[in-house]
Amino acid sequence: MNDLKSLFSSNLKLLFFKTSKRDFDAFSLDHLKLGLFLTWIVGMGRWWDDPNANILQHLGMGSVIYIFVLAGIIWSVVWPLKPRNWSYRHVLTFVSLTSLPALLYAIPVERFVPISTAISLNIGFLAVVAAWRVALFFFYLSRHADLHWFKTMVVGLLPLSAIVSSLFFLNLHNVVFDIMGGLRDEGPSPHEGEYSVLMLLTMLSVMLIIPLLLTYAGLIYHEHKVKPNRTNALSREQVEPDASLDLDTPNEVFPNHREKAS
């Protein structure tokens, strides 16, 4: 049983890229409980001042449901590459513990600054949180899963490409329909900038998804076909004796043997 102080300390170490392999291996059910609690709190803070958010978003349950889905996507994408010590619960624990930076979203900047400034600030918050979490994801793949840097890049970008597109649809805000339909009757929203960024990221994700999928398929083939065959071939070479050596004729192998015998 971990005390609360050590759990928060472990979370902070992760957020600042200080977690070692041993620390990752020590993730327990208590870490998961803390992560789920933080995700719930952050989820409520994300939407508490937004009148257009639905009931699940206001209750923070949308964020909790989301991390279960996200962890499932990450686990299933990385698993074929045979990562070290890989389990769904561990991935879920990691994802939940990366929720804390999203507290930036809870700052109601639109209440203190003009709406145009609030939009810029929200874009900045979105960029900071997104970059932070992506960096943590790559750190997790490299440090805990022990993947080669190229595998880390591919399996890191592949789910992100799919996730960004999913986020665009799952987090649809009424203002998105206003933007797409050219409607401005209710005035601008401080979240308009965020959705504009998501639209751009979605376009980039669509462009990357095909080459990433092809590279990912190649990595799986190499991991399950080429690599095992190469390992088996090396094992046979080490176990099987050299056929050029006739062990039944020691005089030919060791020419001095006959001289000593005489």
Side-chain angles (χ1 to χ4, degrees):
M1 183 72 178
N2 297 280
D3 60 84
L4 196 58
K5 183 178 179 180
S6 65
L7 289 174
F8 274 104
S9 175
S10 178
N11 193 184
L12 290 177
K13 286 180 66 176
L14 172 63
L15 293 178
F16 290 98
F17 307 91
K18 299 295 184 180
T19 305
S20 65
K21 284 186 179 180
R22 180 177 296 181
D23 294 330
F24 274 124
D25 292 341
F27 277 5
S28 65
L29 185 60
D30 292 330
H31 289 86
L32 177 57
K33 291 177 181 178
L34 173 64
L36 292 175
F37 174 75
L38 293 175
T39 302
W40 173 58
I41 295 297
V42 169
M44 288 192 295
R46 173 68 179 86
W47 301 101
W48 71 272
D49 63 334
D50 193 333
N52 294 312
N54 59 48
I55 186 64
L56 286 178
Q57 290 171 326
H58 277 303
L59 294 177
M61 296 308 298
S63 297
V64 175
I65 295 171
Y66 164 71
I67 66 168
F68 277 88
V69 177
L70 174 59
I73 294 173
I74 293 175
W75 178 86
S76 60
V77 169
V78 180
W79 176 76
L81 298 182
K82 300 180 180 180
R84 185 190 73 91
N85 197 18
W86 198 247
S87 70
Y88 173 77
R89 196 182 85 171
H90 199 282
V91 176
L92 178 61
T93 302
F94 162 75
V95 173
S96 66
L97 291 175
T98 63
S99 62
L100 204 55
L103 280 175
L104 285 173
Y105 294 144
I107 303 175
V109 292
E110 64 275 8
R111 299 192 177 188
F112 309 109
V113 297
I115 191 66
S116 58
T117 305
I119 291 174
S120 299
L121 288 174
N122 279 325
I123 292 176
F125 291 160
L126 177 67
V128 169
V129 174
W132 197 345
R133 285 175 166 174
V134 169
L136 285 171
F137 179 41
F138 279 76
F139 172 72
Y140 179 67
L141 292 175
S142 177
R143 180 66 57 85
H144 172 69
D146 202 20
L147 293 181
H148 184 268
W149 70 267
F150 185 71
K151 291 182 180 179
T152 298
M153 291 294 294
V154 174
V155 298
L157 291 175
L158 180 59
L160 289 175
S161 297
I163 290 166
V164 168
S165 299
S166 300
L167 281 175
F168 176 74
F169 293 104
L170 291 175
N171 285 343
L172 278 177
H173 193 284
N174 289 336
V175 72
V176 175
F177 294 103
D178 292 342
I179 293 173
M180 297 177 67
L183 303 176
R184 289 293 184 273
D185 294 339
E186 298 179 1
S189 162
H191 297 294
E192 283 189 13
E194 298 179 23
Y195 290 111
S196 299
V197 172
L198 287 176
M199 289 178 185
L200 176 61
L201 292 177
T202 301
M203 294 175 61
L204 293 175
S205 298
V206 171
M207 295 173 62
L208 287 173
I209 194 68
I210 299 301
L212 284 173
L213 281 173
L214 293 175
T215 307
Y216 176 66
L219 288 174
I220 293 177
Y221 177 80
H222 180 271
E223 191 68 34
H224 291 268
K225 295 293 184 181
V226 178
K227 193 174 180 180
N229 291 339
R230 185 179 300 170
T231 302
N232 292 336
L234 291 174
S235 299
R236 286 195 298 269
E237 290 179 3
Q238 293 174 357
V239 173
E240 295 177 358
D242 192 340
S244 64
L245 297 179
D246 187 356
L247 299 181
D248 294 332
T249 56
N251 291 333
E252 295 180 6
V253 180
F254 305 103
N256 294 330
H257 177 75
R258 181 181 300 174
E259 296 177 2
K260 291 182 180 180
S262 61

